[in-house]
Amino acid sequence: MLSPEEIPNTLIGFHTLERLINILQSSDKYAKKNAFVEIKNTLNASSEWTMLKGDNKFLTEFINPVSRRLLDDSPFVRMLVFSLTDECEDIAQEAKALWDKAGNQYVRENEREYKDRMDYEPPNLPHYPPGVQRPGLGCRILIERECGKFVQAIGKELCDWVALVKVKAAQLLSQLTLHAEQNITMQMDKIIGPMSKAAMDNEVPAVVSFVRLAAYYMGFFVPPKVYCDLIVEYMKEANQGERRVIASVISGSKREDLREHLPKVATTFCGRTFKGKDQEALLEVISSVLKTCQEDCLDIGEDIFCALIGVIGLAEGQTLIDRAEELLEEFVKLAGGDKSETYDKFCGSLLNSLKEPTWTVHCHEQFIFYAMATRTGEIISTRFLEILGILKDALSEKSEPEVKLKIYMAVNEIIKDHEITLPTSEIKEKFSNAMLDDLLPMQLKWYPGQCAEAIRTIASTSLYLILTTFKLELQIPPHIPPLLQGLIEDPAEKTRILGLLCISAICNNIDFHDNETYPNLITNVLKRLDDCDKKVRELSIKCIQNLYEAHLTQELNNYLNKALLDFAYQTLIIHLDDAEKDFREKVFCCLESIGKIEPAVLREKLLVQNFRDKEILARLTTSLEETLKDLSNKESKRTSEGSEVINEDLCNTIKTDQKLEVSKIVNDCGLQLSDNLCKLDLGKQSNQLIDINKSDQVESNSDQRQELNFNEISSNVKKELKSESEKLIHLGDGDS
């Protein structure tokens, strides 16, 4: 019972509280912050006394307006649990102190009921969020008792249309999870759906941050077996919100407990999409797995590799690509650091997924193959046969033109990065032969339509890169030269340019220089001198020059088609008087080069009256005359050298004959002297021999004046023989 002195004060308190409540109820209409502050101070001063000494008839009217003030924008109005995560540090500290005080008081008042927990429950847990202080026992007990009553209400508020309501609900959820600890497991099936929706709220980043914080806390308290069954199974085709939640839960999980459930986690990697937010969330899940599980993540290495390459291929922006590449490098480090070995080990699932699709314009695989070829090129050499099979399938007739363009872009990147993608000469040769024999011919043929034209252009680019990049002595298939002749007549300027470049690149190939191919090739290239594109005309001139220079060096080519050369001279002479000076200079260089083949023929065709540019005609004429003069000098020198050789050979022959003749004469004279010493007719024979020797000596002196030494020797020998014969004759006369 109240004393008589207290009755007036009590009545005054009741009337004051009634007026304050009325003001609170009507204040939503006016939203005056200063009034709220004063009302709050008044309530703090009088509410305890009024409640203790009065009745509770005003409680239902009092609680609703006061609870709404928990979400007030003013830091002076907000209260307690919501304020534990307040952005104002002073309010957060004050709220924490009051909350700890309330918890401690509750434990003291119920000590008998919670004595076992107070005595035996450890103050700290071994696996707990780092840098976070564990709430007191009393605070945790209060939340455990009441959390089931308002979890569903929090879920609804998370999806409210008012931003402030969503933020406060997310803040409350994070503190609820931290206080409830393992008891939050029973509420996960109720709250996980609203959390996933709230995590997709890209308009209010604070909501996403606090929801992810709540999910992070759940990872410390909920076993992976439980949340994998409850959450991951529910998220097989996860959106960005669901992936953000599961990424945060994984970040708080224990490595040893999570490892055996990684295959279930990998199911969230499925589902390829072009949406940037979904890709970003997927990368967050992979990042959480890599950081939490470390080397244990290799158990699902194929799924991680496939998902990362998928994001690189389908990413909307460069930021996502860079992030995916960072995670790929981190994955390689966890696998040992060897890119080639890692990619070869974990690319199986990716390659299998690329073998089955229908290659249409809408398929994701074309972009993923491009990403694989450009970002993980080491796979090409280690899985060459599988890659080749995918290329054949993607470039078949049933594939759509857009797909072929993307695949050829990937092929060109493979060729450009050949030091990584095709590291050995053997692999380069296999790749080149496969392209030249199987993949390129069908795309280089002429088909009507702009799509076919675009494919021919990019296929020609691939052909040119193969012929010029690898520096290999390739065996050019016989079907390639006819295709090149078709390319230089293609309607597309780029294709004609690439065709001429390809011809110049392999002009030394022997297949270009047979009796049938070479004339057709030269004729078609000469036609390109009248092309409408300047670049094509210039390349045609260079191509003609290269073809003739190569043609003259072919060992198997034993003839020169002079009629074709004459036609080439005539065509080039016409363009020597072109309107563009630069083009005239290029024609001049070509004629100066191939004019050395038949300079006299070309000189006869140069008529002064047919040229406007007399200066370039004079230069070419001078060059041809110098060429003719050089050829004449070389011919004269060659003739003189030949005659000297002939004369030398003749002299050697004569010397040999004369020596034989002298030897024969000496032998004959010796025989005659021994057999006919007493015969009278020896003198006559000797005289005849002397006469013959004299006549031979005269003829030898007149015909071989250059051999004076030899003739002198021969003459001396003959004189000795004559004197010897005369002596013998005188001896014969004396005897007779």
PDB file of all heavy atoms in Angstrom, residues 553-583:
ATOM      1  N   THR A 553      66.435 -20.351-108.874  1.00  0.00           N
ATOM      2  CA  THR A 553      67.297 -21.122-107.972  1.00  0.00           C
ATOM      3  C   THR A 553      66.858 -22.568-107.823  1.00  0.00           C
ATOM      4  O   THR A 553      67.499 -23.332-107.098  1.00  0.00           O
ATOM      5  CB  THR A 553      67.304 -20.472-106.574  1.00  0.00           C
ATOM      6  OG1 THR A 553      65.970 -20.451-106.065  1.00  0.00           O
ATOM      7  CG2 THR A 553      67.841 -19.050-106.634  1.00  0.00           C
ATOM      8  N   GLN A 554      65.754 -22.944-108.462  1.00  0.00           N
ATOM      9  CA  GLN A 554      65.281 -24.325-108.359  1.00  0.00           C
ATOM     10  C   GLN A 554      66.194 -25.249-109.161  1.00  0.00           C
ATOM     11  O   GLN A 554      66.374 -25.086-110.363  1.00  0.00           O
ATOM     12  CB  GLN A 554      63.845 -24.439-108.880  1.00  0.00           C
ATOM     13  CG  GLN A 554      62.822 -23.751-108.004  1.00  0.00           C
ATOM     14  CD  GLN A 554      62.710 -24.386-106.634  1.00  0.00           C
ATOM     15  OE1 GLN A 554      62.720 -25.602-106.509  1.00  0.00           O
ATOM     16  NE2 GLN A 554      62.623 -23.545-105.619  1.00  0.00           N
ATOM     17  N   GLU A 555      66.792 -26.215-108.510  1.00  0.00           N
ATOM     18  CA  GLU A 555      67.734 -27.113-109.168  1.00  0.00           C
ATOM     19  C   GLU A 555      67.043 -28.020-110.174  1.00  0.00           C
ATOM     20  O   GLU A 555      67.636 -28.418-111.172  1.00  0.00           O
ATOM     21  CB  GLU A 555      68.454 -27.946-108.116  1.00  0.00           C
ATOM     22  CG  GLU A 555      69.320 -27.109-107.172  1.00  0.00           C
ATOM     23  CD  GLU A 555      70.009 -27.967-106.154  1.00  0.00           C
ATOM     24  OE1 GLU A 555      69.759 -29.182-106.167  1.00  0.00           O
ATOM     25  OE2 GLU A 555      70.803 -27.439-105.352  1.00  0.00           O
ATOM     26  N   LEU A 556      65.798 -28.368-109.901  1.00  0.00           N
ATOM     27  CA  LEU A 556      65.098 -29.288-110.790  1.00  0.00           C
ATOM     28  C   LEU A 556      64.506 -28.589-112.000  1.00  0.00           C
ATOM     29  O   LEU A 556      63.946 -29.236-112.881  1.00  0.00           O
ATOM     30  CB  LEU A 556      63.988 -30.011-110.013  1.00  0.00           C
ATOM     31  CG  LEU A 556      64.459 -30.860-108.824  1.00  0.00           C
ATOM     32  CD1 LEU A 556      63.257 -31.488-108.135  1.00  0.00           C
ATOM     33  CD2 LEU A 556      65.431 -31.928-109.280  1.00  0.00           C
ATOM     34  N   ASN A 557      64.582 -27.267-112.029  1.00  0.00           N
ATOM     35  CA  ASN A 557      63.991 -26.522-113.137  1.00  0.00           C
ATOM     36  C   ASN A 557      65.072 -26.278-114.200  1.00  0.00           C
ATOM     37  O   ASN A 557      65.992 -25.483-113.990  1.00  0.00           O
ATOM     38  CB  ASN A 557      63.422 -25.186-112.641  1.00  0.00           C
ATOM     39  CG  ASN A 557      62.720 -24.439-113.748  1.00  0.00           C
ATOM     40  OD1 ASN A 557      61.740 -24.900-114.292  1.00  0.00           O
ATOM     41  ND2 ASN A 557      63.250 -23.284-114.070  1.00  0.00           N
ATOM     42  N   ASN A 558      64.986 -26.980-115.312  1.00  0.00           N
ATOM     43  CA  ASN A 558      66.027 -26.902-116.343  1.00  0.00           C
ATOM     44  C   ASN A 558      65.649 -26.009-117.510  1.00  0.00           C
ATOM     45  O   ASN A 558      66.346 -25.969-118.509  1.00  0.00           O
ATOM     46  CB  ASN A 558      66.328 -28.313-116.878  1.00  0.00           C
ATOM     47  CG  ASN A 558      66.870 -29.212-115.780  1.00  0.00           C
ATOM     48  OD1 ASN A 558      67.649 -28.762-114.946  1.00  0.00           O
ATOM     49  ND2 ASN A 558      66.448 -30.466-115.773  1.00  0.00           N
ATOM     50  N   TYR A 559      64.555 -25.309-117.391  1.00  0.00           N
ATOM     51  CA  TYR A 559      64.153 -24.456-118.501  1.00  0.00           C
ATOM     52  C   TYR A 559      63.497 -23.209-117.946  1.00  0.00           C
ATOM     53  O   TYR A 559      63.099 -23.140-116.777  1.00  0.00           O
ATOM     54  CB  TYR A 559      63.179 -25.179-119.434  1.00  0.00           C
ATOM     55  CG  TYR A 559      61.767 -25.190-118.929  1.00  0.00           C
ATOM     56  CD1 TYR A 559      60.822 -24.298-119.439  1.00  0.00           C
ATOM     57  CD2 TYR A 559      61.389 -26.071-117.923  1.00  0.00           C
ATOM     58  CE1 TYR A 559      59.532 -24.306-118.944  1.00  0.00           C
ATOM     59  CE2 TYR A 559      60.103 -26.083-117.439  1.00  0.00           C
ATOM     60  CZ  TYR A 559      59.168 -25.198-117.956  1.00  0.00           C
ATOM     61  OH  TYR A 559      57.892 -25.193-117.473  1.00  0.00           O
ATOM     62  N   LEU A 560      63.366 -22.201-118.768  1.00  0.00           N
ATOM     63  CA  LEU A 560      62.698 -20.963-118.418  1.00  0.00           C
ATOM     64  C   LEU A 560      61.650 -20.678-119.477  1.00  0.00           C
ATOM     65  O   LEU A 560      61.949 -20.667-120.675  1.00  0.00           O
ATOM     66  CB  LEU A 560      63.710 -19.806-118.344  1.00  0.00           C
ATOM     67  CG  LEU A 560      63.138 -18.440-117.982  1.00  0.00           C
ATOM     68  CD1 LEU A 560      62.631 -18.461-116.542  1.00  0.00           C
ATOM     69  CD2 LEU A 560      64.198 -17.353-118.131  1.00  0.00           C
ATOM     70  N   ASN A 561      60.426 -20.443-119.020  1.00  0.00           N
ATOM     71  CA  ASN A 561      59.323 -20.146-119.927  1.00  0.00           C
ATOM     72  C   ASN A 561      59.492 -18.707-120.426  1.00  0.00           C
ATOM     73  O   ASN A 561      59.094 -17.747-119.767  1.00  0.00           O
ATOM     74  CB  ASN A 561      57.991 -20.326-119.195  1.00  0.00           C
ATOM     75  CG  ASN A 561      56.812 -20.306-120.154  1.00  0.00           C
ATOM     76  OD1 ASN A 561      56.849 -19.653-121.196  1.00  0.00           O
ATOM     77  ND2 ASN A 561      55.760 -21.027-119.785  1.00  0.00           N
ATOM     78  N   LYS A 562      60.107 -18.569-121.608  1.00  0.00           N
ATOM     79  CA  LYS A 562      60.415 -17.232-122.120  1.00  0.00           C
ATOM     80  C   LYS A 562      59.166 -16.482-122.551  1.00  0.00           C
ATOM     81  O   LYS A 562      59.117 -15.247-122.468  1.00  0.00           O
ATOM     82  CB  LYS A 562      61.399 -17.341-123.285  1.00  0.00           C
ATOM     83  CG  LYS A 562      62.770 -17.853-122.858  1.00  0.00           C
ATOM     84  CD  LYS A 562      63.767 -17.797-124.004  1.00  0.00           C
ATOM     85  CE  LYS A 562      65.154 -18.247-123.537  1.00  0.00           C
ATOM     86  NZ  LYS A 562      66.153 -18.185-124.623  1.00  0.00           N
ATOM     87  N   ALA A 563      58.158 -17.198-123.006  1.00  0.00           N
ATOM     88  CA  ALA A 563      56.908 -16.528-123.373  1.00  0.00           C
ATOM     89  C   ALA A 563      56.257 -15.914-122.133  1.00  0.00           C
ATOM     90  O   ALA A 563      55.745 -14.786-122.180  1.00  0.00           O
ATOM     91  CB  ALA A 563      55.963 -17.523-124.044  1.00  0.00           C
ATOM     92  N   LEU A 564      56.286 -16.639-121.012  1.00  0.00           N
ATOM     93  CA  LEU A 564      55.733 -16.114-119.768  1.00  0.00           C
ATOM     94  C   LEU A 564      56.546 -14.925-119.278  1.00  0.00           C
ATOM     95  O   LEU A 564      55.982 -13.927-118.814  1.00  0.00           O
ATOM     96  CB  LEU A 564      55.719 -17.219-118.709  1.00  0.00           C
ATOM     97  CG  LEU A 564      55.165 -16.835-117.333  1.00  0.00           C
ATOM     98  CD1 LEU A 564      53.694 -16.460-117.439  1.00  0.00           C
ATOM     99  CD2 LEU A 564      55.347 -17.983-116.340  1.00  0.00           C
ATOM    100  N   LEU A 565      57.873 -15.031-119.400  1.00  0.00           N
ATOM    101  CA  LEU A 565      58.721 -13.917-119.006  1.00  0.00           C
ATOM    102  C   LEU A 565      58.462 -12.690-119.873  1.00  0.00           C
ATOM    103  O   LEU A 565      58.418 -11.557-119.381  1.00  0.00           O
ATOM    104  CB  LEU A 565      60.193 -14.335-119.091  1.00  0.00           C
ATOM    105  CG  LEU A 565      61.222 -13.285-118.682  1.00  0.00           C
ATOM    106  CD1 LEU A 565      61.048 -12.917-117.219  1.00  0.00           C
ATOM    107  CD2 LEU A 565      62.643 -13.797-118.939  1.00  0.00           C
ATOM    108  N   ASP A 566      58.271 -12.902-121.151  1.00  0.00           N
ATOM    109  CA  ASP A 566      57.968 -11.794-122.058  1.00  0.00           C
ATOM    110  C   ASP A 566      56.654 -11.120-121.666  1.00  0.00           C
ATOM    111  O   ASP A 566      56.545  -9.881-121.670  1.00  0.00           O
ATOM    112  CB  ASP A 566      57.907 -12.327-123.490  1.00  0.00           C
ATOM    113  CG  ASP A 566      57.747 -11.203-124.504  1.00  0.00           C
ATOM    114  OD1 ASP A 566      58.765 -10.584-124.872  1.00  0.00           O
ATOM    115  OD2 ASP A 566      56.600 -10.939-124.906  1.00  0.00           O
ATOM    116  N   PHE A 567      55.657 -11.935-121.284  1.00  0.00           N
ATOM    117  CA  PHE A 567      54.372 -11.380-120.850  1.00  0.00           C
ATOM    118  C   PHE A 567      54.530 -10.592-119.549  1.00  0.00           C
ATOM    119  O   PHE A 567      53.924  -9.521-119.374  1.00  0.00           O
ATOM    120  CB  PHE A 567      53.364 -12.513-120.666  1.00  0.00           C
ATOM    121  CG  PHE A 567      52.050 -12.076-120.107  1.00  0.00           C
ATOM    122  CD1 PHE A 567      51.174 -11.304-120.872  1.00  0.00           C
ATOM    123  CD2 PHE A 567      51.677 -12.422-118.812  1.00  0.00           C
ATOM    124  CE1 PHE A 567      49.949 -10.896-120.353  1.00  0.00           C
ATOM    125  CE2 PHE A 567      50.459 -12.023-118.292  1.00  0.00           C
ATOM    126  CZ  PHE A 567      49.599 -11.257-119.068  1.00  0.00           C
ATOM    127  N   ALA A 568      55.348 -11.108-118.643  1.00  0.00           N
ATOM    128  CA  ALA A 568      55.591 -10.395-117.388  1.00  0.00           C
ATOM    129  C   ALA A 568      56.277  -9.059-117.652  1.00  0.00           C
ATOM    130  O   ALA A 568      55.920  -8.036-117.049  1.00  0.00           O
ATOM    131  CB  ALA A 568      56.439 -11.259-116.451  1.00  0.00           C
ATOM    132  N   TYR A 569      57.265  -9.044-118.578  1.00  0.00           N
ATOM    133  CA  TYR A 569      57.932  -7.790-118.929  1.00  0.00           C
ATOM    134  C   TYR A 569      56.930  -6.775-119.488  1.00  0.00           C
ATOM    135  O   TYR A 569      56.914  -5.600-119.089  1.00  0.00           O
ATOM    136  CB  TYR A 569      59.030  -8.047-119.960  1.00  0.00           C
ATOM    137  CG  TYR A 569      60.296  -8.647-119.390  1.00  0.00           C
ATOM    138  CD1 TYR A 569      61.245  -9.270-120.214  1.00  0.00           C
ATOM    139  CD2 TYR A 569      60.567  -8.597-118.033  1.00  0.00           C
ATOM    140  CE1 TYR A 569      62.403  -9.816-119.705  1.00  0.00           C
ATOM    141  CE2 TYR A 569      61.728  -9.145-117.518  1.00  0.00           C
ATOM    142  CZ  TYR A 569      62.631  -9.752-118.352  1.00  0.00           C
ATOM    143  OH  TYR A 569      63.785 -10.279-117.844  1.00  0.00           O
ATOM    144  N   GLN A 570      56.101  -7.209-120.377  1.00  0.00           N
ATOM    145  CA  GLN A 570      55.135  -6.302-120.994  1.00  0.00           C
ATOM    146  C   GLN A 570      54.171  -5.721-119.961  1.00  0.00           C
ATOM    147  O   GLN A 570      53.880  -4.516-119.977  1.00  0.00           O
ATOM    148  CB  GLN A 570      54.358  -7.039-122.085  1.00  0.00           C
ATOM    149  CG  GLN A 570      55.177  -7.384-123.319  1.00  0.00           C
ATOM    150  CD  GLN A 570      54.352  -8.133-124.351  1.00  0.00           C
ATOM    151  OE1 GLN A 570      53.213  -8.501-124.103  1.00  0.00           O
ATOM    152  NE2 GLN A 570      54.944  -8.392-125.507  1.00  0.00           N
ATOM    153  N   THR A 571      53.683  -6.581-119.055  1.00  0.00           N
ATOM    154  CA  THR A 571      52.732  -6.114-118.042  1.00  0.00           C
ATOM    155  C   THR A 571      53.391  -5.126-117.085  1.00  0.00           C
ATOM    156  O   THR A 571      52.816  -4.081-116.745  1.00  0.00           O
ATOM    157  CB  THR A 571      52.168  -7.306-117.257  1.00  0.00           C
ATOM    158  OG1 THR A 571      51.620  -8.260-118.173  1.00  0.00           O
ATOM    159  CG2 THR A 571      51.095  -6.856-116.284  1.00  0.00           C
ATOM    160  N   LEU A 572      54.601  -5.434-116.660  1.00  0.00           N
ATOM    161  CA  LEU A 572      55.286  -4.552-115.720  1.00  0.00           C
ATOM    162  C   LEU A 572      55.674  -3.227-116.371  1.00  0.00           C
ATOM    163  O   LEU A 572      55.660  -2.181-115.708  1.00  0.00           O
ATOM    164  CB  LEU A 572      56.526  -5.256-115.161  1.00  0.00           C
ATOM    165  CG  LEU A 572      56.247  -6.417-114.205  1.00  0.00           C
ATOM    166  CD1 LEU A 572      57.525  -7.190-113.907  1.00  0.00           C
ATOM    167  CD2 LEU A 572      55.628  -5.915-112.908  1.00  0.00           C
ATOM    168  N   ILE A 573      56.012  -3.258-117.648  1.00  0.00           N
ATOM    169  CA  ILE A 573      56.364  -2.007-118.346  1.00  0.00           C
ATOM    170  C   ILE A 573      55.167  -1.064-118.381  1.00  0.00           C
ATOM    171  O   ILE A 573      55.307   0.156-118.240  1.00  0.00           O
ATOM    172  CB  ILE A 573      56.878  -2.326-119.768  1.00  0.00           C
ATOM    173  CG1 ILE A 573      58.279  -2.933-119.686  1.00  0.00           C
ATOM    174  CG2 ILE A 573      56.896  -1.078-120.641  1.00  0.00           C
ATOM    175  CD1 ILE A 573      58.800  -3.442-121.007  1.00  0.00           C
ATOM    176  N   ILE A 574      53.978  -1.629-118.548  1.00  0.00           N
ATOM    177  CA  ILE A 574      52.776  -0.783-118.540  1.00  0.00           C
ATOM    178  C   ILE A 574      52.642  -0.058-117.207  1.00  0.00           C
ATOM    179  O   ILE A 574      52.344   1.144-117.161  1.00  0.00           O
ATOM    180  CB  ILE A 574      51.531  -1.643-118.828  1.00  0.00           C
ATOM    181  CG1 ILE A 574      51.594  -2.199-120.248  1.00  0.00           C
ATOM    182  CG2 ILE A 574      50.260  -0.839-118.616  1.00  0.00           C
ATOM    183  CD1 ILE A 574      50.482  -3.189-120.558  1.00  0.00           C
ATOM    184  N   HIS A 575      52.888  -0.775-116.108  1.00  0.00           N
ATOM    185  CA  HIS A 575      52.733  -0.175-114.784  1.00  0.00           C
ATOM    186  C   HIS A 575      53.958   0.626-114.363  1.00  0.00           C
ATOM    187  O   HIS A 575      53.913   1.288-113.320  1.00  0.00           O
ATOM    188  CB  HIS A 575      52.453  -1.267-113.756  1.00  0.00           C
ATOM    189  CG  HIS A 575      51.134  -1.941-113.954  1.00  0.00           C
ATOM    190  ND1 HIS A 575      49.948  -1.402-113.502  1.00  0.00           N
ATOM    191  CD2 HIS A 575      50.801  -3.103-114.577  1.00  0.00           C
ATOM    192  CE1 HIS A 575      48.944  -2.204-113.823  1.00  0.00           C
ATOM    193  NE2 HIS A 575      49.434  -3.246-114.479  1.00  0.00           N
ATOM    194  N   LEU A 576      55.021   0.574-115.155  1.00  0.00           N
ATOM    195  CA  LEU A 576      56.180   1.420-114.865  1.00  0.00           C
ATOM    196  C   LEU A 576      55.852   2.896-115.068  1.00  0.00           C
ATOM    197  O   LEU A 576      56.541   3.761-114.516  1.00  0.00           O
ATOM    198  CB  LEU A 576      57.358   1.001-115.759  1.00  0.00           C
ATOM    199  CG  LEU A 576      58.690   1.714-115.523  1.00  0.00           C
ATOM    200  CD1 LEU A 576      59.202   1.441-114.109  1.00  0.00           C
ATOM    201  CD2 LEU A 576      59.720   1.266-116.556  1.00  0.00           C
ATOM    202  N   ASP A 577      54.809   3.178-115.821  1.00  0.00           N
ATOM    203  CA  ASP A 577      54.382   4.557-116.070  1.00  0.00           C
ATOM    204  C   ASP A 577      53.109   4.877-115.287  1.00  0.00           C
ATOM    205  O   ASP A 577      52.266   5.655-115.741  1.00  0.00           O
ATOM    206  CB  ASP A 577      54.149   4.762-117.574  1.00  0.00           C
ATOM    207  CG  ASP A 577      54.257   6.224-117.960  1.00  0.00           C
ATOM    208  OD1 ASP A 577      55.068   6.941-117.339  1.00  0.00           O
ATOM    209  OD2 ASP A 577      53.527   6.654-118.862  1.00  0.00           O
ATOM    210  N   ASP A 578      52.972   4.255-114.072  1.00  0.00           N
ATOM    211  CA  ASP A 578      51.784   4.450-113.249  1.00  0.00           C
ATOM    212  C   ASP A 578      51.702   5.888-112.750  1.00  0.00           C
ATOM    213  O   ASP A 578      52.709   6.618-112.698  1.00  0.00           O
ATOM    214  CB  ASP A 578      51.820   3.485-112.055  1.00  0.00           C
ATOM    215  CG  ASP A 578      50.495   3.404-111.327  1.00  0.00           C
ATOM    216  OD1 ASP A 578      49.638   2.613-111.764  1.00  0.00           O
ATOM    217  OD2 ASP A 578      50.315   4.153-110.353  1.00  0.00           O
ATOM    218  N   ALA A 579      50.503   6.290-112.364  1.00  0.00           N
ATOM    219  CA  ALA A 579      50.302   7.673-111.902  1.00  0.00           C
ATOM    220  C   ALA A 579      50.964   7.927-110.552  1.00  0.00           C
ATOM    221  O   ALA A 579      51.359   9.064-110.262  1.00  0.00           O
ATOM    222  CB  ALA A 579      48.808   7.967-111.816  1.00  0.00           C
ATOM    223  N   GLU A 580      51.097   6.911-109.698  1.00  0.00           N
ATOM    224  CA  GLU A 580      51.685   7.084-108.374  1.00  0.00           C
ATOM    225  C   GLU A 580      53.186   6.823-108.430  1.00  0.00           C
ATOM    226  O   GLU A 580      53.642   5.797-108.932  1.00  0.00           O
ATOM    227  CB  GLU A 580      51.031   6.135-107.374  1.00  0.00           C
ATOM    228  CG  GLU A 580      49.557   6.421-107.142  1.00  0.00           C
ATOM    229  CD  GLU A 580      48.976   5.524-106.069  1.00  0.00           C
ATOM    230  OE1 GLU A 580      49.759   4.812-105.404  1.00  0.00           O
ATOM    231  OE2 GLU A 580      47.750   5.537-105.906  1.00  0.00           O
ATOM    232  N   LYS A 581      53.930   7.781-107.885  1.00  0.00           N
ATOM    233  CA  LYS A 581      55.381   7.688-107.945  1.00  0.00           C
ATOM    234  C   LYS A 581      55.908   6.509-107.124  1.00  0.00           C
ATOM    235  O   LYS A 581      56.825   5.794-107.561  1.00  0.00           O
ATOM    236  CB  LYS A 581      55.997   8.991-107.443  1.00  0.00           C
ATOM    237  CG  LYS A 581      57.515   9.012-107.552  1.00  0.00           C
ATOM    238  CD  LYS A 581      58.075  10.353-107.111  1.00  0.00           C
ATOM    239  CE  LYS A 581      59.597  10.354-107.226  1.00  0.00           C
ATOM    240  NZ  LYS A 581      60.175  11.647-106.806  1.00  0.00           N
ATOM    241  N   ASP A 582      55.347   6.320-105.928  1.00  0.00           N
ATOM    242  CA  ASP A 582      55.809   5.216-105.080  1.00  0.00           C
ATOM    243  C   ASP A 582      55.611   3.870-105.767  1.00  0.00           C
ATOM    244  O   ASP A 582      56.472   2.985-105.684  1.00  0.00           O
ATOM    245  CB  ASP A 582      55.060   5.231-103.749  1.00  0.00           C
ATOM    246  CG  ASP A 582      55.392   6.456-102.920  1.00  0.00           C
ATOM    247  OD1 ASP A 582      56.435   7.076-103.192  1.00  0.00           O
ATOM    248  OD2 ASP A 582      54.606   6.793-102.018  1.00  0.00           O
ATOM    249  N   PHE A 583      54.483   3.739-106.438  1.00  0.00           N
ATOM    250  CA  PHE A 583      54.218   2.482-107.135  1.00  0.00           C
ATOM    251  C   PHE A 583      55.186   2.296-108.296  1.00  0.00           C
ATOM    252  O   PHE A 583      55.659   1.184-108.562  1.00  0.00           O
ATOM    253  CB  PHE A 583      52.773   2.466-107.630  1.00  0.00           C
ATOM    254  CG  PHE A 583      52.341   1.138-108.171  1.00  0.00           C
ATOM    255  CD1 PHE A 583      52.077   0.074-107.330  1.00  0.00           C
ATOM    256  CD2 PHE A 583      52.214   0.940-109.537  1.00  0.00           C
ATOM    257  CE1 PHE A 583      51.676  -1.154-107.828  1.00  0.00           C
ATOM    258  CE2 PHE A 583      51.818  -0.283-110.047  1.00  0.00           C
ATOM    259  CZ  PHE A 583      51.556  -1.326-109.184  1.00  0.00           C
TER     260      PHE A 583
END
